[in-house]
Amino acid sequence: MNNTFTSVGTAPFGFAIINKEYKVQYLNDDFSRILQYSKESVLNKNLELFLPHIKSFTLKADSEIKKIRTSLGQEIAVQTKCIPNLMKDNFLVFCYDFSNYEFLLKQLNESNEKIYLYQSMLNNLQDGIFVTDEKGKTLFVNDAFLSLSGLKRYDIIGKTVYYLMSHKIVPNSCCAKVLETKSPSSTLNHYYHGKSCLVSGSPVLDSNNQLKMVVSVIRDVSELELLRQRLEAEKSLALSYKAKLKQLEENNHSQPLVTKSKPMTDIYEKAFKVANIDSSVLILGETGVGKDFLANYIHKISKRSEEGPFLKINCGAIPEHLLESELFGYEAGAFTGASRNGKAGLFELANNGTLFLDEIGDMPYSLQVKLLSAIQDKKMYRIGGSKVINFNCRIIAATNADLLELVEQKRFRIDLYYRLNVINVTIPPLRHRKEDIIPLAMEFLNQFNEQYGNSRYFASKTLELFLIYDWPGNIREMKNLVERLVVISDKNCIEPEMFYEQILDKSKINYESFFVRSLSKESIEQGNLKQKLESYEAHLVKEAIDKFRTLKEASDYLDIDLSTLVRKKKKYNI
C-alpha cells in the first residue's frame, strides 16, 4: 500500500493510513517523528492512543484541517481524507507541526490536486490500467479496465491476482508472470464477461532493484482477434482449394488421394501397373495406414470392378470354425445349425472379382493348408460337399505382422507366404511422410464439413500440431480425430487446445523430431554433433519467437543481436 504514495511519503509532513476502526495500517517516518513514538509501536495500534481527539474528525472524502494535541502535548495540524478508488475503507491522515501551518496547507493542497489529476488522467484513457503491489494485491484499476473486463471495482480492489484467477474472476494474469520474473510480460485474456484484450505488464522497481509495484496496460483486441480468425479461415480455405485443384490436375488412376509423398506416389503407380494382372498382392504396413483402401483401389481400377465384387474378410475377427464356412461355404446339413439350403463361401461370391484377406497373419494355422490349395488350384469344396467348385477371383492379402517372424515361430506356413507374396507393397506410416499430413487433414475436414453441414477450419497453430504429432494410429486415427473435432467444436475455428485435448497419447507430440526434420537433408544424414546442436538451437529460437510479440523482445530474451535472430529465423525456416 505504501508503494502507491512514495512521492507523498517523502514530503516534509507526516502521513499515515488508517481503517474505519482508526487502526494504523501504514505511517511514514515524519508521522512517527511528530508523534515521538517509533513506527513499530504505532503500527496496527488505534491512533486514538497517540492523538486522543482524532475521533472528532469525520472520515470522509475531505475534512477540515484542525489543530490537535498529541498524547505528549505537542500541538499539530491534522487533516483526514478518503480516496475510495485507491483504497476501499481506508483513510489518509496528514499531520504537520502547527508552527509551519501555512506551508502544510500549501503542500496538502498540491498533493490533493496531483492525486485527483492522476486519477482523472488515468480514467480518461481508452486503455485499461491495472495496478498491484509487490505481492499481487490490486491497488487501482481505471474506468476503462472495468468497461473492458466487465467487472466491478469491489470485485477486484484489495484482492490478489492469484485470488482473482483461482475464483474464476479473471481467466489469466500477466501480473503473476511479472511478479515471478520481475520482467515485462504479455498475454491475451478473454475476460469471462468482457472482451478479448492484450495485457502488457511492467514491473516498477526501487533504487535497490526490489519490486514495488506492477502496472498493466489492457488493450481491446477483439477486432484484431476477429481479423485473425478470418485470416485463419482464409488460410484453411486456401489449403482446401489447393487440395481440390491438385486432385483435378492429377485426375488419373495413378494417384487416388492427394499426396506429396514420393513413396506413396510410387505405390499408387505400382498399383496401377499391377491392377489388371491376376497375381496375388501382399500389402504390409502398420495399423491404420490404409491397407484396405489400397486393396479396394486396386480392384476399382482393374477390369474386375466391372465383372465382379470386392469382398473383404478379417481373418483375425472370426472364430476358426466360422472362418472356414465363411471362406468355403457349406452344403445343407453339413453341421448342426447349418442352413438347409446350404451357403456359398466368399471364394464363390467373389468370382470374377477380388477377395481381400485382411489380417492374414491371424489366419488359423490349420486352415492355411486348405487356403493355399484353393488359391493355387482356383477350386475348392464346400464343407460337407463333394462337388468341385471352380472360382476365378483375385487374392489380395494384408497384415501389420511380420510374416517371416511368424514363419519362424511355426505360426504361418512358408509356402502360403510365397504364394501370397507375389507382388509386395509396403505402406510407410504417416510419421515417415509428413508432407501428406496437411493434405489428408484438409481432405477429411472438407469431407466431414460437407457431411455435417459445418464450416469448420483449422487455426495455423493447430496444423503445426498435426505436423509434430507422431500419429501412432496413422490415417485411421487422423480421420477419426478430424471427425471428432468437427462434431464437438463449438466454434468454426478449431484451436490447438481442442486438438491437444482429443489425442489419446500426449507423449506422441514429438517436438524434438519436428525441429530435427526442419534441418537440411545433408545434416540429418550426417547425424553429427553439429546437426544435433542446430536442432536444439532451432527449438530455442522458435520457442522465443512464439513467446514474445516482437523479434526485438525475443532477441533480448535470447541475449543475441536482432540481426542474428533474423538470420537464424531464416536459416531454420521459422
Side-chain angles (χ1 to χ4, degrees):
M1 199 176 297
N2 55 325
N3 301 323
T4 310
F5 301 98
T6 303
S7 61
V8 178
T10 56
F13 51 78
F15 160 70
I17 300 174
I18 65 173
N19 60 21
K20 290 191 299 184
E21 287 76 33
Y22 291 86
K23 283 192 176 181
V24 179
Q25 309 296 304
Y26 167 80
L27 71 160
N28 70 349
D29 292 335
D30 285 322
F31 197 94
S32 171
R33 178 177 54 78
I34 291 170
L35 295 182
Q36 297 181 12
Y37 285 94
S38 67
K39 292 175 71 173
E40 290 75 16
S41 61
V42 178
L43 195 62
N44 295 319
K45 301 293 192 308
N46 192 315
L47 189 57
E48 192 178 12
L49 296 173
F50 311 97
L51 296 176
H53 302 289
I54 187 66
K55 286 193 175 180
S56 62
F57 287 82
T58 302
L59 300 183
K60 57 183 182 179
D62 291 286
S63 67
E64 182 183 354
I65 297 177
K66 294 182 180 181
K67 287 191 296 182
I68 193 172
R69 289 186 181 277
T70 68
S71 59
L72 298 178
Q74 183 182 0
E75 192 175 59
I76 62 173
V78 175
Q79 180 190 25
T80 62
K81 186 174 185 62
C82 171
I83 305 182
N85 283 354
L86 290 178
M87 300 174 299
K88 187 178 180 182
D89 297 332
N90 285 280
F91 302 87
L92 308 180
V93 179
F94 298 98
C95 69
Y96 199 82
D97 191 313
F98 196 74
S99 60
N100 289 316
Y101 174 78
E102 293 296 332
F103 180 73
L104 167 65
L105 185 61
K106 181 181 177 182
Q107 290 291 321
L108 287 175
N109 288 335
E110 288 179 358
S111 296
N112 291 342
E113 288 176 5
K114 285 182 180 179
I115 290 173
Y116 281 118
L117 178 62
Y118 293 152
Q119 279 188 270
S120 178
M121 179 180 66
L122 293 176
N123 280 326
N124 283 322
L125 292 176
Q126 291 184 341
D127 292 338
I129 302 295
F130 187 100
V131 183
T132 74
D133 66 10
E134 74 279 6
K135 295 182 180 179
K137 185 177 181 180
T138 308
L139 300 177
F140 173 78
V141 293
N142 69 347
D143 294 342
F145 173 80
L146 300 177
S147 176
L148 292 170
S149 65
L151 298 170
K152 304 296 182 184
R153 271 195 176 83
Y154 58 75
D155 291 332
I156 46 184
I157 293 295
K159 299 181 176 66
T160 68
V161 292
Y162 307 107
Y163 175 91
L164 298 178
M165 286 191 292
S166 64
H167 286 73
K168 306 296 183 183
I169 297 173
V170 296
N172 195 5
S173 173
C174 80
C175 287
K177 186 69 174 178
V178 176
L179 290 168
E180 293 171 11
T181 63
K182 293 186 180 180
S183 301
S185 180
S186 296
T187 186
L188 191 64
N189 265 4
H190 303 279
Y191 290 104
Y192 300 120
H193 304 292
K195 299 181 178 181
S196 295
C197 297
L198 176 66
V199 185
S200 300
S202 299
V204 178
L205 306 175
D206 63 13
S207 57
N208 296 320
N209 203 35
Q210 295 297 312
L211 182 66
K212 290 297 181 182
M213 205 184 329
V214 176
V215 179
S216 296
V217 178
I218 297 88
R219 178 161 295 176
D220 184 3
V221 292
S222 300
E223 291 187 9
L224 290 177
E225 180 66 12
L226 289 174
L227 288 174
R228 184 191 71 81
Q229 291 183 5
R230 286 179 60 185
L231 181 61
E232 298 285 6
E234 294 297 332
K235 284 182 180 178
S236 186
L237 188 61
L239 286 171
S240 299
Y241 286 152
K242 187 176 180 180
K244 290 181 179 178
L245 286 172
K246 184 77 172 176
Q247 284 182 302
L248 291 173
E249 290 172 2
E250 300 174 352
N251 188 18
N252 57 65
H253 292 306
S254 64
Q255 195 165 311
L257 277 180
V258 59
T259 179
K260 295 182 179 179
S261 166
K262 189 177 186 307
M264 289 307 300
T265 302
D266 293 344
I267 286 173
Y268 292 138
E269 289 178 355
K270 184 176 184 180
F272 183 69
K273 290 178 182 178
V274 304
N276 288 310
I277 300 174
D278 286 340
S279 301
S280 299
V281 178
L282 179 61
I283 304 175
L284 303 175
E286 294 180 5
T287 298
V289 292
K291 298 187 290 293
D292 53 347
F293 175 86
L294 183 61
N296 199 1
Y297 169 69
I298 292 173
H299 171 76
K300 283 184 177 180
I301 62 176
S302 71
K303 295 177 182 178
R304 289 181 177 272
S305 62
E306 302 173 359
E307 300 172 359
F310 175 85
L311 299 181
K312 170 186 173 181
I313 184 170
N314 189 317
C315 301
I318 303 175
E320 181 178 349
H321 65 284
L322 294 179
L323 181 60
E324 184 178 8
S325 65
E326 287 294 318
L327 287 171
F328 300 102
Y330 57 83
E331 296 292 353
F335 50 82
T336 303
S339 171
R340 57 185 178 182
N341 296 321
K343 179 184 176 181
L346 291 178
F347 280 108
E348 293 179 69
L349 296 174
N351 193 41
N352 297 322
T354 301
L355 178 58
F356 178 44
L357 304 174
D358 197 12
E359 303 300 344
I360 189 66
D362 295 329
M363 171 70 70
Y365 196 83
S366 58
L367 271 182
Q368 292 178 22
V369 176
K370 190 171 182 179
L371 177 63
L372 173 63
S373 176
I375 294 174
Q376 284 187 155
D377 302 334
K378 297 287 184 179
K379 60 184 179 181
M380 60 159 199
Y381 296 92
R382 287 185 180 180
I383 297 175
S386 56
K387 179 183 176 182
V388 175
I389 298 176
N390 296 303
F391 62 89
N392 177 27
C393 67
R394 202 236 186 104
I395 302 298
I396 300 179
T399 182
N400 60 4
D402 185 339
L403 291 183
L404 289 178
E405 185 177 337
L406 294 180
V407 168
E408 292 181 2
Q409 297 173 2
K410 306 299 182 182
R411 294 168 55 194
F412 201 86
R413 295 181 61 90
I414 188 67
D415 46 4
L416 177 58
Y417 169 76
Y418 288 131
R419 170 54 60 185
L420 295 174
N421 193 31
V422 178
I423 297 170
N424 181 291
V425 178
T426 301
I427 303 177
L430 201 53
R431 63 183 175 276
H432 291 164
R433 44 188 176 109
K434 294 285 186 180
E435 56 270 60
D436 281 349
I437 289 177
I438 300 302
L440 284 171
M442 300 311 301
E443 177 74 16
F444 295 141
L445 180 68
N446 293 333
Q447 176 184 330
F448 293 119
N449 269 338
E450 185 176 344
Q451 179 177 338
Y452 295 111
N454 291 327
S455 302
R456 309 285 191 246
Y457 60 90
F458 295 122
S460 57
K461 292 291 184 182
T462 306
L463 291 176
E464 288 184 24
L465 286 178
F466 268 85
L467 288 172
I468 63 176
Y469 182 50
D470 266 358
W471 298 107
N474 293 291
I475 296 175
R476 182 184 294 118
E477 180 185 8
M478 179 190 286
K479 186 174 183 179
N480 292 340
L481 176 63
V482 173
E483 181 176 11
R484 193 157 61 248
L485 291 173
V486 168
V487 171
I488 69 173
S489 178
D490 295 326
K491 301 184 296 184
N492 280 337
C493 183
I494 299 175
E495 299 287 356
E497 292 77 12
M498 288 196 62
F499 177 95
Y500 191 77
E501 288 173 2
Q502 295 303 316
I503 59 174
L504 298 178
D505 190 350
K506 307 297 192 286
S507 66
K508 296 299 181 181
I509 297 183
N510 193 349
Y511 293 98
E512 182 179 354
S513 68
F514 174 68
F515 289 110
V516 169
R517 291 188 182 98
S518 71
L519 301 176
S520 65
K521 181 179 178 183
E522 292 76 16
S523 179
I524 294 173
E525 288 175 348
Q526 290 173 10
N528 55 19
L529 178 61
K530 178 183 176 183
Q531 179 265 315
K532 294 186 174 96
L533 290 173
E534 286 181 335
S535 170
Y536 187 62
E537 183 179 61
H539 171 72
L540 294 178
V541 170
K542 186 176 188 302
E543 186 178 56
I545 290 174
D546 288 343
K547 182 176 181 180
F548 296 97
R549 288 182 302 163
T550 65
L551 291 179
K552 181 64 173 66
E553 291 176 349
S555 66
D556 290 342
Y557 173 77
L558 294 170
D559 197 21
I560 59 177
D561 292 336
L562 179 59
S563 59
T564 303
L565 178 62
V566 172
R567 188 173 67 252
K568 292 184 181 298
K569 180 176 181 292
K570 184 177 180 180
K571 174 182 178 181
Y572 298 121
N573 194 27
I574 298 173

